[in-house]
Amino acid sequence: MSAVRYEVDGNVAVLTVDYPPVNALSAAVRTGLGEGLEKARNDDSVEAVIVLGADKTFIAGADITEFGTEKSAVKPGLRDLIETLETFPKLTVAAIHGTALGGGLELALGCHARVAVSSAKVGLPEVNLGILPGAGGTQRLPRLTGVETGIDLITSGKHIPAAKALELGVVDAVVDDVRAGGVAFAQKSLAEGTQFTAVIERNDKISGVEPKVFEEARKRIGAKARGKIAPMVIIDCIEAATKMDSVAGLKYEQEKFQELFASDQRGALMHYFFAEREARKVPDLPADTKVRPINSAAVIGSGTMGGGIAMVFANAGIQVKLVDISSEALEKGMETVRKNYEISVGRGSMPKAKMDAALKLIETTTDYADLANTDIVIEAVFEKMDLKKEIFSKLDSVMKDGAILATNTSSLDIDEIASATKRPEDVIGVHFFSPANVMKLQENIRGAKSSPSTIKTVMDIGKKLGKNVVLAGNCDGFIGNRILQYYTGEAEFLLEQGATPEQVDRVAMKFGMPMGPISMRDMSGLDVGVLVRKARWNSLPEGERMSPIVERLAERGRIGMKVGKGFYRYEGRDKFPDPETTEIIEGVAKEYGVKRREFTDEEIELRLFAPMVNEGAKELEDGTAIRASDIDVAWVNGYGFPAHKGGPMYWGERVGLKKIHEMAVEAEKRNGPRWAPSKLLGRLAKEGKGWKDA
Ligand SMILES: NC(=O)c1ccc[n+]([C@@H]2O[C@H](COP(=O)([O-])OP(=O)(O)OC[C@H]3O[C@@H](n4cnc5c(N)ncnc54)[C@H](O)[C@@H]3O)[C@@H](O)[C@H]2O)c1
């Protein structure tokens, strides 16, 4: 059966792409469309063609499983089809429902006109895979929207709803029913003799654009891109559209597409794309494991995390009860929640109506009895084992059978928390990151007794909550924080050995981290750092120490940004090096007999990131992480590791596991036994293998 159905409705040929699950532009679909168009060309009764998708969506995009395979070369290619639609002697209309993304939207832009139902979304998300829309997207979309909006849409990969697409000129009409509306639009246009100019020939919105528009976009988007090349190349292509004729512009786009396609960043982002999807799968759960319905939630503790977690559920349309010890505490918590919503609305990232609806879904209470019918509870009180156990024992007595009892702990033992209940099978870690309503990671932690259905339910809910999930084993720090201590630990040793805070931060930022490890400490507060590190100081193995710089700075009141001084001195948001910090660091180096020297940026980069890879290998070895790519997902979403480097494990493999192993051998000598190379890493390095052989 063809992937494209051909039907005639009056004087309109209807080409329906029917290629589950998302009508991607695979070879079969392209062939089917090519054949359908020829049939329509030769059918004298046909005066117009509409293209639409079967089932839930228009063409959702390219078929990335065909990338780099023989199938991707099968003719007609997407560009051939677009040219056919654009120069077709009869009217061509794209009728969009669901999503028209990437190649799907590019194909629609090749049609003479576009209509969409109101729930449809369109966008060119190629930038997220390190490429650009290479079938004319950078040349056609700005011709409809204007250059500035075009730059914004294509460099962000944003999906825009139909109403916005209509306002921007991307679609010509919003219709009620995709097929009937598409046919009616075509027939009306024919009856009225409406003349459509091919998008590629419309130059009014791209003429006379000042060069400073591009300069400013490069500055603004460059600052956010953190080393990602695709957004910058997209700006070059859009500038080319304003300077070259359409043939040259399309050719330029094509060359730039090839360059990006061959880049390391594309490889890393593709890896990352699949990693996110893979991370949702838990291989050892029985096939018939049931997902429990989650229609209501409760959050215990309305502090920094609790408030944010309540927002996450409310944003997903789930009723949530927020619990704290007093109505004063709840009032304070809700004030922060409201403020955070207002910031989103003020920024334009959330419509006011959505804020109002979400706020209506959050109820507050101090009475645990109110939670009796709730499907899931997330505990987010202070990080104290006794308190958490007390709360879980209370939850055990009030919550209905089958409710999920989750903790947001960052470090405590899930099994010990579960032991406070008579139903450890329903207990699990569901770890969000701060700010919970913004950060994308949801790190679920399985306890020894967490049941398959408990695990599957919390893995499943991530999608609804708009989070990327990973499943971790129960250990100190789980997947993400367990690795973090090696990153920040090595940063501090580097300072003792002669690198400056500015240099360490600069190298991390150049690598693509949103913030350097030293500034990160200043931001979260050195007093908090000292508290978290206390337990670790006492549990260090023989022959190992941590750098006490954080403690020494805190002793002198340098507890971070909030007091205007930490590692750096602050004037407002601007930071400056401070001689007192240098004196403290030099003092520590002297005390421990550390020889100071200069470091190259390359050395610092390897020293910061290689130990993370080694610890990641240990997580694979002991089962804390199911697969290496889960560690990548955790670090990209929870800590801002650049996705265009694929995540720490992918990066490590690109650097070479042999090199990472050598670094670990050195780190053990320098820093102590916890830094020793992982056995798995040693084996893979020796055999010249990669994570897939782990
Ligand atoms: N802050 C972070 O960056 C972060 C990130 C991930 C996880 N966590 C974890 O989340 C949890 C909460 O951290 P936080 O930063 O939101 O703390 P917080 O101090 O901001 O908030 C804790 C809240 O719990 C309330 N509380 C205390 N005892 C209670 C009780 N018996 N019943 C109901 N409420 C009670 C407090 O009144 C307070 O509102 C901790 O386990 C922490 O380790 C924190």
Side-chain angles (χ1 to χ4, degrees), residues 299-307 309 323-326 329-330 332-333 368 379-384 387-388 390-391 394 407-412 430-435 481 528:
V299 179
I300 316 290
S302 63
T304 312
M305 292 308 291
I309 297 167
V323 184
D324 212 305
I325 30 176
S326 64
L330 282 170
K332 201 167 141 228
Y368 281 72
E379 165 280 311
V381 303
F382 307 130
E383 188 77 334
K384 290 202 181 107
L387 177 62
K388 302 229 183 225
E390 185 192 314
I391 286 174
K394 244 192 238 174
T407 170
N408 184 51
T409 180
S410 313
S411 58
L412 300 176
V430 174
H431 185 205
F432 293 96
F433 288 68
S434 182
N481 283 343
V528 178

Side-chain angles (χ1 to χ4, degrees), residues 8 26-27 33 62 80 118 128 165 206 236 264 290 292 301 322 394 477 497 504 533 547 600 618 633:
V8 178
S26 52
L33 281 171
D80 305 324
S118 62
N128 297 324
I206 58 162
D236 294 345
D264 283 349
K290 291 246 167 355
R292 301 183 203 172
L322 191 54
K394 244 192 238 174
Q497 290 156 21
V504 171
R533 287 154 59 105
S547 170
T600 64
K618 290 182 187 173
V633 172

Side-chain angles (χ1 to χ4, degrees), residues 7 25 38 76 101 134 138 148 182 208 273 299 328 342 383 392 421 429 433 451 496 501 560 594-595 655 682 689:
E7 287 150 319
L25 280 162
E38 281 323 295
L101 299 179
T138 67
E148 280 166 271
F273 177 87
V299 179
E328 291 76 36
E342 275 156 17
E383 188 77 334
F392 270 76
T421 73
F433 288 68
S451 75
E496 288 185 3
V594 178
K595 242 176 70 201
V655 168
K689 291 187 169 156

Side-chain angles (χ1 to χ4, degrees), residues 68-91:
T69 70
E70 275 174 19
K71 283 191 175 163
S72 66
V74 168
K75 289 279 169 189
L78 177 56
R79 281 189 300 279
D80 305 324
L81 277 176
I82 291 171
E83 202 184 322
T84 306
L85 285 162
E86 198 156 54
T87 56
F88 207 66
K90 303 175 181 184
L91 174 64

Side-chain angles (χ1 to χ4, degrees), residues 75-76 102 239 305 310 488 530 539 544 581 583 606 612 643 680:
K75 289 279 169 189
E239 186 169 27
M305 292 308 291
T488 51
V530 168
S539 64
E544 185 162 334
T581 301
E583 178 211 314
L606 271 173
M612 295 171 51
L680 170 67

Side-chain angles (χ1 to χ4, degrees), residues 66-342:
E66 284 189 3
F67 274 19
T69 70
E70 275 174 19
K71 283 191 175 163
S72 66
V74 168
K75 289 279 169 189
L78 177 56
R79 281 189 300 279
D80 305 324
L81 277 176
I82 291 171
E83 202 184 322
T84 306
L85 285 162
E86 198 156 54
T87 56
F88 207 66
K90 303 175 181 184
L91 174 64
T92 55
V93 179
I96 299 166
H97 75 303
T99 52
L101 299 179
L105 178 58
E106 287 181 297
L107 183 112
L109 292 172
C111 292
H112 301 144
R114 286 147 296 284
V115 299
V117 299
S118 62
S119 58
K121 287 194 170 152
V122 304
L124 294 174
E126 283 82 350
V127 67
N128 297 324
L129 290 179
I131 51 178
L132 54 79
T138 67
Q139 305 300 295
R140 290 191 181 85
L141 191 68
R143 284 180 151 88
L144 294 177
T145 63
V147 163
E148 280 166 271
T149 307
I151 290 175
D152 172 44
L153 291 178
I154 311 177
T155 58
S156 68
K158 224 182 265 174
H159 302 181
I160 52 168
K164 184 86 188 162
L166 179 68
E167 184 191 316
L168 295 176
V170 181
V171 302
D172 300 276
V174 173
V175 296
D176 289 336
D177 179 87
V178 67
R179 179 177 168 141
V183 171
F185 180 90
Q187 288 174 333
K188 184 161 177 270
S189 303
L190 289 170
E192 291 175 356
T194 315
Q195 292 299 314
F196 293 95
T197 310
V199 175
I200 200 75
E201 286 166 17
R202 299 188 207 173
N203 293 329
D204 52 313
K205 290 203 174 144
I206 58 162
S207 310
V209 181
E210 300 272 336
K212 80 169 194 301
V213 168
F214 297 101
E215 280 159 33
E216 278 165 12
R218 284 190 180 98
K219 233 186 265 160
R220 190 179 66 247
I221 289 159
K224 272 198 298 193
R226 295 193 267 130
K228 235 196 227 174
I229 48 181
M232 310 317 283
V233 178
I234 287 167
I235 300 175
D236 294 345
C237 289
I238 296 177
E239 186 169 27
T242 66
K243 289 190 168 155
M244 300 176 185
D245 64 44
S246 59
V247 174
L250 287 167
K251 185 159 169 277
Y252 182 85
E253 179 196 78
Q254 187 49 28
E255 284 161 12
K256 292 292 158 187
F257 175 83
Q258 297 298 352
E259 273 174 39
L260 287 180
F261 198 81
S263 69
D264 283 349
Q265 291 197 359
R266 199 271 306 182
L269 285 159
M270 288 276 280
H271 154 79
Y272 183 71
F273 177 87
F274 288 113
E276 260 183 14
R277 279 144 191 83
E278 194 67 14
R280 297 182 199 134
K281 300 178 194 154
V282 184
D284 67 342
L285 297 185
D288 60 353
T289 305
K290 291 246 167 355
V291 173
R292 301 183 203 172
I294 302 289
N295 298 312
S296 57
V299 179
I300 316 290
S302 63
T304 312
M305 292 308 291
I309 297 167
M311 291 171 78
V312 170
F313 280 94
N315 292 347
I318 298 172
Q319 186 96 38
V320 49
K321 293 201 169 82
L322 191 54
V323 184
D324 212 305
I325 30 176
S326 64
S327 43
E328 291 76 36
L330 282 170
E331 230 156 77
K332 201 167 141 228
M334 279 310 291
E335 211 179 286
T336 311
V337 166
R338 256 180 243 116
K339 222 168 49 209
N340 286 336
Y341 272 127
E342 275 156 17

